[in-house]
Amino acid sequence: MFFRYIILFILLLATSFGCARKQTATGKIRLNLGAASTGTVLNAVYIWGFNRTLGLTTAHHIVGDGRDLEFPVKPGSWNFRVVAWSEGSHMFEGTTRCGNSPDISFQGGDVDVPIHITTDCTNHPRISDPAYIDANNQIAVMRLVSCRSLAKVSQGWDLCENAYLGDTKSFRVILPSYSLRPDLEIGPFAPESLRSDCQNTPSGYLDTNLRIPVGNDSPESPRVYIESFDQPGCTGNVQFRAFPHGLYATQGINGKLLYMTSPIRSAFFLKHGDALGGGDLAIFGTGIDGVFDVSADHDLSTFSLDPDSGGTLPLRILSARRRIKSLATAVNGNTIVETATAFNTGTAEFMLKDEVMWYISISTPLLTACDSATDPMAHKVAGMFGFAHVQDISDTSHFTLDRPLPTFTNTNLFQVSLSGNLYAANPIGTPQCVVQIMRVPQFKRINVSNTSTLWVPPFSLGSGSAAGVGAGGVLVMRVQQDISVASGQTLNIGSGGMGFVSHDTSGSLLYFQGVGAHGFTQHGNTPPPDGCTGGCDKRIGMAGGAGTGAAAGGGGGGHLGAGGRGQSSSAGTGGQGGFAINFLDPFPPENVILMGASGGHGYTPSPFSSTQSGGNGGGVLMIAAQVITGSGTLALNANGADGNVVGGMNGGGGGAGGSIYVYSQYSDINTLHMYALGGTGANGLSTGCGGGGGGGGYLFFKGCVNKVTYFNQVLPVIDGGGSGNGSCTGGIASTPGGGGMENTHFSWAFPFCP
């Protein structure tokens, strides 16, 4: 194996003045790299030392072969680490060689310190933690991801889509050379310090060939500095970030190191830019929509608000939404969005600087409908979302965002747009990727003086060209200051059945089996002679199956809880309940937020003339409010709807509960209810069968401090829906839906906490 020795000659001079003793720092270190039998030439060497006695560090570099270096040292216990690079085309690329010295106690005199460096970097954790050493025992190459906020970064393969891609368009990595200084002091560094070539990041992240030592959690780790630029070619405005204890120890607001596998990479997430308009506290928005005095019910997708009470700002439709028809790349690398139906600029549905949220409503098949990624963890799937701002509006169906959207590389995103309809025939296995985009309202305050409800329409699969087709089911808002509910009053946000629909009145369409994030089946405008047959009892992902045969109930929709089975008889088969999803396999809950799936239909021979459909699923509520207060009640409703039995005998399955996400610094409201219940399966009539219950949904609450004990203040309900019963005989009983999941966190460490 090729190796070299580094010899350190250190001379310490001590002089005495009476009783006082002053130790000067005029040592000399000579690094002799020696000759190598292979003839390999080192491109660069980085060496850093740590004085454990005094807590001092120093670092120096060599470009090429042997050098003599002089730098000051002080007495004490020293340790030196070395990384060298060779055979690479650019700085920090190629093969790495690692080495370190034993602890050396310097009290005076000359000391020779040999350091053996080899291509095996596995036994040097202070150079790079073992998790960041690749299969060839080399320091792993780096991925750099630029984010406006690191609050939701939890996995190495994250791309900050949910927390905004950052402003970095290019960057350099620096290993600084500097004289003695305290271990956390930044200070100046040598202008000729080792620097990477400029790395361009047109998509907000880059898989580089750089092998940067990340250290571990020790102050003896190598310092790393990063210059990030808001223009390509390392031009424009520059942000300088210093990580004095190395990248591994950086798990705070400005940087976070995670690792990737297959292949092994170090994934460093760099904060660059303000989250949502100004600092990490801006998760609560800018307040641009002003004070919202609520005293009546409002559909936020159509309701207009005057943000400055007759001032210069225009009336705004608070949460306009459209289905995305196509995406294109602008000259600056950002994304041009074409909406499936035109938006009205006269009523200010979308305007410059608006914050918008994109949301993948349907991806079927789950992992391959929206992209062609080969890494399973890189797929874009239903429930994923992200934010951006409107940068330019070219006409009433095109606007440009201030950052790239994810790359939907398959044409499935546009497949449903070729016919202009979302209800095109979709047999099982036909890919579809349905994405919507909506304006995010940002209130300064919400004051509630009279019991009221705020909602948006359910997700629409109906026919036609109406503005809401292919959109709906998601209500998101930011409140810069507080939501305040007066005594004796209730603010209801959301309504039952706001998610996936089973019977879509906008197009008078029935889908037999339920509808969910992972697919649906539309059987055409003419039903089979005996209603839904031919495997319609099967679930479609989370969506419940339909009752088949003369007497059978529909299955409940699924979410975190599985849907219940529909009742069957000697003459028919009950619909299967929809699947329960598992957030850990493969995506974490803050990256995937799902509407509840609808239940399946109870059997009927004439589905287009009756509405014994399954219940709608619950919608998605995302609320970020700095304070939630008042003597009244805030009720968040993402319940699934009950199944139906109208015009027939067999009950439909209940819809699954949806998702509720709340972010708040502080909450002391008198009562806060959160509901994501599964709907109840409908009872059968006469000799009919009952439907299965819908599965429970998901509740997520993140706060800084809890004024009152959580369970005294917040009453979360995530149970599955009950099962319906009927008088049909000779089969299997229906079953209730499974329970959902609750996830609460209170910590001052969250980035939005003061």
Side-chain angles (χ1 to χ4, degrees):
M1 177 184 293
F2 166 77
F3 62 88
R4 293 177 183 239
Y5 286 93
I6 295 179
I7 311 296
L8 288 80
F9 292 88
I10 302 179
L11 175 65
L12 293 105
L13 304 178
T15 54
S16 176
F17 297 90
C19 295
R21 180 179 181 87
K22 180 180 179 181
Q23 295 176 321
T24 63
T26 58
K28 179 180 180 181
I29 295 181
R30 185 172 64 210
L31 305 177
N32 185 351
L33 302 182
S37 59
T38 62
T40 302
V41 176
L42 297 180
N43 298 333
V45 177
Y46 188 63
I47 180 169
W48 67 98
F50 183 76
N51 185 316
R52 296 182 177 178
T53 306
L54 302 175
L56 300 174
T57 69
T58 187
H60 302 272
H61 69 274
I62 301 172
V63 177
D65 282 347
R67 292 286 195 278
D68 288 334
L69 298 176
E70 293 185 9
F71 55 87
V73 294
K74 289 183 179 291
S77 177
W78 280 90
N79 190 288
F80 293 93
R81 317 278 170 184
V82 176
V83 177
W85 295 265
S86 66
E87 303 159 338
S89 301
H90 304 282
M91 183 63 70
F92 305 141
E93 298 181 358
T95 302
T96 55
R97 291 168 168 79
C98 303
N100 64 272
S101 73
D103 290 345
I104 303 160
S105 179
F106 292 135
Q107 299 302 326
D110 298 342
V111 180
D112 296 348
V113 184
I115 300 180
H116 181 201
I117 59 173
T118 76
T119 56
D120 186 350
C121 293
T122 55
N123 296 319
H124 303 282
R126 287 183 173 85
I127 294 176
S128 262
D129 184 87
Y132 301 91
I133 301 296
D134 67 19
N136 297 316
N137 299 330
Q138 292 281 287
I139 295 174
V141 294
M142 168 188 279
R143 164 181 282 193
L144 186 134
V145 186
S146 173
C147 308
R148 290 190 178 189
S149 170
L150 306 182
K152 293 187 178 181
V153 173
S154 60
Q155 305 289 341
W157 49 80
D158 287 345
L159 294 179
C160 290
E161 293 155 0
N162 302 341
Y164 281 2
L165 288 173
D167 293 340
T168 303
K169 297 295 177 64
S170 57
F171 68 93
R172 289 193 189 98
V173 179
I174 303 169
L175 297 183
S177 295
Y178 55 92
S179 298
L180 287 170
R181 66 177 53 139
D183 67 334
L184 280 175
E185 183 180 296
I186 306 303
F189 57 95
E192 70 275 13
S193 295
L194 300 181
R195 300 170 184 258
S196 71
D197 288 355
C198 183
Q199 310 281 317
N200 289 317
T201 58
S203 299
Y205 75 97
L206 182 68
D207 288 323
T208 74
N209 294 317
L210 304 179
R211 299 184 183 273
I212 305 299
V214 301
N216 59 4
D217 55 0
S218 164
E220 300 176 35
S221 299
R223 295 186 176 210
V224 179
Y225 298 166
I226 298 178
E227 293 177 324
S228 55
F229 301 82
D230 63 3
Q231 298 297 323
C234 293
T235 60
N237 296 317
V238 60
Q239 170 189 268
F240 177 82
R241 296 288 193 200
F243 305 104
H245 279 173
L247 299 183
Y248 183 93
T250 306
Q251 302 299 325
I253 193 172
N254 290 324
K256 184 180 290 188
L257 182 72
L258 299 167
Y259 67 89
M260 302 174 63
T261 58
S262 301
I264 295 174
R265 292 182 183 273
S266 61
F268 190 71
F269 295 82
L270 178 71
K271 185 182 186 304
H272 188 179
D274 291 334
L276 318 184
D280 282 336
L281 287 181
I283 187 174
F284 304 121
T286 62
I288 189 64
D289 290 315
V291 176
F292 191 10
D293 291 317
V294 181
S295 58
D297 299 344
H298 296 296
D299 174 357
L300 297 187
S301 71
T302 58
F303 179 68
S304 296
L305 182 68
D306 184 352
D308 59 351
S309 301
T312 59
L313 296 176
L315 282 171
R316 301 305 317 275
I317 290 181
L318 291 173
S319 190
R321 55 202 57 223
R322 293 293 188 276
R323 178 169 62 87
I324 294 178
K325 181 178 181 180
S326 68
L327 302 174
T329 302
V331 174
N332 61 5
N334 294 335
T335 298
I336 301 172
V337 173
E338 179 185 9
T339 59
T341 54
F343 51 87
N344 191 335
T345 57
T347 57
E349 289 188 302
F350 295 101
M351 292 181 62
L352 295 180
K353 299 184 179 180
D354 275 352
E355 182 187 16
V356 293
M357 172 181 169
W358 58 264
Y359 178 82
I360 304 177
S361 305
I362 292 178
S363 60
T364 175
L366 169 63
L367 293 180
T368 58
C370 294
D371 62 72
S372 57
T374 56
D375 181 355
M377 301 309 298
H379 284 302
K380 310 300 181 294
V381 300
M384 285 187 171
F385 64 98
F387 299 94
H389 292 89
V390 177
Q391 188 178 67
D392 181 63
I393 297 177
S394 53
D395 56 44
T396 58
S397 59
H398 294 84
F399 51 79
T400 302
L401 304 180
D402 65 346
R403 60 198 57 256
L405 261 65
T407 303
F408 297 97
T409 53
N410 282 358
T411 58
N412 298 319
L413 176 61
F414 319 124
Q415 173 183 343
V416 293
S417 304
L418 297 179
S419 64
N421 298 317
L422 267 175
Y423 66 94
N426 182 35
I428 295 175
T430 300
Q432 280 197 339
C433 180
V434 180
V435 186
Q436 60 174 304
I437 194 163
M438 67 205 76
R439 181 181 184 269
V440 179
Q442 304 195 42
F443 304 111
K444 186 174 183 180
R445 302 185 65 190
I446 295 179
N447 296 321
V448 181
S449 58
N450 190 51
T451 294
S452 306
T453 300
L454 306 178
W455 80 94
V456 296
F459 179 75
S460 172
L461 282 168
S463 60
S465 58
V469 171
V474 180
L475 191 160
V476 56
M477 67 171 67
R478 304 187 190 278
V479 184
Q480 187 182 45
Q481 295 184 18
D482 63 293
I483 298 175
S484 180
V485 184
S487 177
Q489 308 304 316
T490 298
L491 175 61
N492 300 291
I493 299 181
S495 59
M498 205 176 75
F500 286 111
V501 296
S502 184
H503 176 80
D504 197 331
T505 56
S506 65
S508 298
L509 299 174
L510 294 176
Y511 296 94
F512 293 26
Q513 289 119 314
V515 176
H518 309 136
F520 62 95
T521 298
Q522 200 273 328
H523 288 269
N525 294 321
T526 303
D530 59 349
C532 186
T533 59
C536 292
D537 61 304
K538 302 296 189 295
R539 63 176 72 89
I540 302 178
M542 294 162 56
T548 60
H559 189 177
L560 265 293
R565 180 183 60 243
Q567 186 179 8
S568 63
S569 70
S570 57
T573 302
Q576 296 177 346
F579 279 122
I581 64 169
N582 182 352
F583 277 134
L584 300 179
D585 185 18
F587 302 103
E590 279 191 273
N591 290 359
V592 176
I593 301 177
L594 291 168
M595 295 180 277
S598 58
H601 290 232
Y603 169 78
T604 176
S606 54
F608 293 106
S609 61
S610 65
T611 56
Q612 55 190 44
S613 61
N616 291 356
V620 168
L621 306 180
M622 297 180 65
I623 299 167
Q626 189 170 23
V627 175
I628 301 173
T629 189
S631 301
T633 297
L634 176 62
L636 308 179
N637 185 348
N639 287 340
D642 295 341
N644 297 288
V645 54
V646 179
M649 297 189 302
N650 298 292
S659 300
I660 299 176
Y661 282 67
V662 179
Y663 300 85
S664 181
Q665 284 186 357
Y666 175 83
S667 173
D668 68 350
I669 193 167
N670 184 60
T671 306
L672 173 58
H673 292 298
M674 298 197 294
Y675 300 103
L677 288 163
T680 300
N683 291 325
L685 302 179
S686 183
T687 57
C689 296
Y698 186 64
L699 302 180
F700 182 92
F701 194 107
K702 229 176 200 183
C704 307
V705 64
N706 202 19
K707 177 86 166 68
V708 184
T709 303
Y710 175 71
F711 287 103
N712 290 338
Q713 177 188 342
V714 182
L715 302 176
V717 182
I718 48 177
D719 296 337
S723 57
N725 296 303
S727 299
C728 60
T729 60
I732 302 173
S734 58
T735 59
M741 182 183 296
E742 172 196 348
N743 199 343
T744 60
H745 305 272
F746 292 96
S747 171
W748 288 106
F750 295 137
F752 57 79
C753 294

